[in-house]
Amino acid sequence: MMRGYVRADGRKGIRNTIVVAYLVECAHHVAREIALPFRHKGVHVIGFAGCYPNGYADAMMRKLCTHPNVGAVLLVSLGCESFNRAGLMQHVEASGRPAHLAVIQDIGGTKKTIAEGQSWIQWTLDELRQTPMADMAMSELVVGTICGGSDATSGLTANPAMGRAFDRLITEGAACIFEELGELIGCEAHMEERAVAPELAAEIRHSMDKAGRYYQAMGHASFAPGNAEGGLSTIEEKSMGAYAKSGAAPITGLLKPGDVPPTGGLYLMDMVPDGDPLYGFPNINDNAEIGELIACGSHVILFSTGRGSVVGSAISPVIKVCANADTYRRLADDMDVDAGRILEGRGTLDEVGAEIHSWILRVAEGEQTASESLGHQEFVLQYKTFEPIGPGCLPLVHRRVPVAPAATSSP
Amino acid sequence: MMPTQSTAAPSGGPDAQRAGDDPRILRLSPRDNVAPLKTRARRGEAMLIAGQPFVLREDVAVGHKIAVVPIAAGTRILKYGAPIGSATADIEPGQRVHTHNMKSDYIPTYTHDRPSNVGAAR
């Protein structure tokens, strides 16, 4: 049985991380210095670099600072940036978590802020040992998936194997999220068929049309000659390689970054900004996508890679599923699952799918992933704009996790 | 090169893998009419597909796909249990399936309501 840290909103976490969040790049160094001695003690740095306000970044920071894997939050502000630090502080305090705001200009500079921040963390580490834990059901687990550093093996081994793990998790009641609409162009019709309701199918089509326009405006070609050399014949086939991560379950709903799945089932996250392309590429790198999956409540991330990405993430552990056996041998320390062995006749898609499934359970029970034990805590948050999701996006059911009043966290 | 291959899947697991398949064939979904190869195979080699022997007429690289059942022209090509295009010619089992005998069926609908100024050089 999984055990989770009990949070006041009714959700449970599989980690009890202290987040040190800088509220502008000018406070990043101080935040990093505060966290440095504690980086192997579950203290992670996140933050927003921009000085100008942005509704998306504000909402993302609120979601991340109250993520179920987060036990306490230290906000590090320079003082003159425009981030709404009081609003974020209030939001975190209302969630029942220990929180502290350190404003560098008020405290008196770098040295004093580092000292104050570190002594607060020392105190909070002790405090967090008291966090109540309780049995955690599969229906309380949220898993996100992403691929990065893909090669021709990704769509043959790691992605379809992760899809098999997703299918099993969904049968057991978990919520699973897939994303990256740009890599799904060509699969629209199939996704619409998988949608549980016609209203949802229409929302998916709307999001995919937006993605098509957006990526075209960014000058992104979908199908390159190199794809055909690798054996891919059509844009549908190329996209299916990434889409295979989603498995075969019906699509239950459509989310945007920060929307938490209200039930178990398979969810598509629309991460393409709404409106004109104002701020460049939808996601500047893999970690921007991971951050958004985590903001949707993902406790753990499945990451498929062929060429060999080494990244992890702040807040939620990343399980690295390596599609290419040569890459696995070369970067073994960074990988968790050797899916490339399928091509060498040392395993089947079903077997690797079962191994990924058991990895998720072990990580949820506290076992460290490769990137976690190596100290990877990558994080990036950029400027974006989103409209709220439409009425057809979510299933018409009650929240599976009741929202409890903030004061009921210690049974 | 010996044409005969073990008839069992390498792990013996059920999977989408069929008894009587050459272990070089990777069946991604039981519904599929094509399957990619796990390793390179050469022209003239024999390959068992669901117990039936076929001789490859051309080299097939890793990740490239062959037909695992007869596919008539116009039929949808299924990989991962999903359509990835349709056949432009009749294709026999063991024949390579690629841009020369299949095509995309994708119609990008996003261009329909596309404002004329989006995508203009900036």
Side-chain angles (χ1 to χ4, degrees):
Chain A
M1 190 72 179
M2 292 185 290
R3 301 273 295 166
Y5 296 96
V6 178
R7 308 301 179 199
D9 65 359
R11 292 191 286 171
K12 297 192 183 89
I14 63 167
R15 296 290 184 271
N16 207 15
T17 301
I18 298 177
V19 151
V20 179
Y22 58 91
L23 305 184
V24 62
E25 180 59 23
C26 318
H28 191 163
H29 171 75
V30 171
R32 192 166 42 213
E33 289 294 310
I34 290 170
L36 192 61
F38 308 102
R39 69 191 199 96
H40 287 292
K41 293 180 178 170
V43 177
H44 297 181
V45 176
I46 69 168
F48 180 58
C51 190
Y52 299 96
N54 178 252
Y56 159 82
D58 200 69
M60 283 286 290
M61 289 291 276
R62 287 173 185 229
K63 294 287 180 179
L64 292 164
C65 287
T66 56
H67 185 281
N69 287 354
V70 173
V73 179
L74 172 62
L75 301 180
V76 185
S77 159
L78 175 62
C80 51
E81 77 274 11
S82 60
F83 198 98
N84 179 3
R85 59 177 177 264
L88 179 58
M89 185 67 184
Q90 251 173 23
H91 183 77
V92 177
E93 282 177 329
S95 79
R97 289 170 173 81
H100 185 70
L101 172 64
V103 181
I104 298 167
Q105 287 166 352
D106 293 348
I107 294 171
T110 300
K111 277 187 185 170
K112 287 179 184 164
T113 310
I114 292 171
E116 178 175 319
Q118 288 182 343
S119 66
W120 186 81
I121 285 179
Q122 199 64 63
W123 174 82
T124 306
L125 280 170
D126 288 339
E127 191 78 1
L128 288 188
R129 294 202 182 94
Q130 315 299 320
T131 309
M133 295 191 81
D135 287 345
M136 183 171 169
M138 281 298 266
S139 60
E140 297 177 273
L141 187 71
V142 184
V143 182
T145 184
I146 173 184
C147 47
S150 297
D151 69 11
T153 63
S154 300
L156 294 175
T157 61
N159 292 350
M162 295 196 324
R164 279 155 170 77
F166 257 30
D167 288 346
R168 187 162 160 195
L169 289 165
I170 289 164
T171 305
E172 293 165 346
C176 295
I177 311 172
F178 71 112
E179 52 98 50
E180 185 43 301
L181 304 194
E183 291 171 359
L184 299 174
I185 290 171
C187 303
E188 293 92 328
H190 198 260
M191 284 196 279
E192 285 175 76
E193 281 171 29
R194 287 173 75 186
V196 292
E199 296 79 13
L200 175 61
E203 296 279 8
I204 291 173
R205 172 65 70 170
H206 176 77
S207 286
M208 288 303 296
D209 284 352
K210 176 184 69 171
R213 285 193 297 274
Y214 202 105
Y215 282 91
Q216 194 171 57
M218 290 288 112
H220 241 235
S222 305
F223 195 77
N227 295 140
E229 283 166 33
L232 302 176
S233 309
T234 63
I235 175 69
E236 299 99 297
E237 184 178 10
K238 177 187 177 183
S239 293
M240 274 306 307
Y243 181 45
K245 293 197 297 294
S246 69
I251 299 176
T252 303
L254 185 142
L255 312 169
K256 289 183 182 176
D259 296 324
V260 176
T263 65
L266 180 64
Y267 289 82
L268 172 64
M269 182 180 78
D270 173 2
M271 28 50 73
V272 176
D274 293 310
D276 287 333
L278 284 179
Y279 302 116
F281 289 101
N283 275 324
I284 54 173
N285 56 37
D286 295 334
N287 285 96
E289 294 174 29
I290 292 174
E292 291 182 335
L293 287 166
I294 294 172
C296 290
S298 297
H299 293 92
V300 52
I301 303 291
L302 292 180
F303 189 124
S304 123
T305 183
R307 295 172 62 90
S309 172
V310 302
V311 304
S313 178
I315 299 178
S316 293
V318 174
I319 298 174
K320 214 68 68 48
V321 182
C322 189
N324 184 320
D326 287 334
T327 304
Y328 182 86
R329 283 185 279 270
R330 209 164 47 247
L331 278 75
D333 291 347
D334 289 282
M335 300 299 157
D336 298 299
V337 177
D338 174 18
R341 70 180 198 263
I342 293 166
L343 296 183
E344 297 185 345
R346 293 183 286 115
T348 67
L349 286 168
D350 283 352
E351 287 166 359
V352 174
E355 185 184 330
I356 294 166
H357 179 271
S358 80
W359 251 109
I360 291 167
L361 297 189
R362 272 151 45 208
V363 169
E365 284 159 11
E367 185 168 334
Q368 291 222 315
T369 68
S371 52
E372 220 178 355
S373 64
L374 291 167
H376 281 281
Q377 290 160 18
E378 285 84 350
F379 181 84
V380 65
L381 179 59
Q382 60 196 102
Y383 281 95
K384 274 189 170 187
T385 47
F386 281 101
E387 301 292 332
I389 50 171
C393 290
L394 294 182
L396 294 169
V397 290
H398 296 295
R399 285 179 57 86
R400 65 191 164 140
V401 177
V403 179
T408 58
S409 60
S410 29
Chain B
M1 180 84 42
M2 287 296 291
T4 330
Q5 296 284 346
S6 154
T7 53
S11 66
D15 232 286
Q17 211 75 20
R18 297 263 176 88
D21 271 347
D22 189 296
R24 288 172 290 185
I25 294 172
L26 178 63
R27 286 196 195 250
L28 292 161
S29 161
R31 296 180 60 202
D32 293 352
N33 51 15
V34 296
L37 293 193
K38 298 177 195 169
T39 53
R40 182 186 175 84
R42 300 208 178 264
R43 187 177 146 214
E45 284 184 48
M47 195 166 263
L48 280 181
I49 302 172
Q52 296 288 313
F54 293 91
V55 174
L56 291 183
R57 298 184 202 172
E58 56 193 319
D59 290 358
V60 183
V62 179
H64 288 242
K65 51 201 174 295
I66 59 170
V68 292
V69 290
I71 302 170
T75 307
R76 286 171 129 192
I77 306 289
L78 295 176
K79 183 183 174 189
Y80 303 99
I84 58 163
S86 55
T88 54
D90 292 341
I91 309 171
E92 290 170 26
Q95 241 185 307
R96 181 166 167 255
V97 180
H98 202 17
T99 47
H100 62 292
N101 55 10
M102 72 168 289
K103 65 169 182 62
S104 170
D105 291 327
Y106 177 60
I107 302 160
T109 55
Y110 63 85
T111 54
H112 292 178
D113 58 338
R114 184 174 155 238
S116 56
N117 61 338
V118 174
R122 291 178 185 193

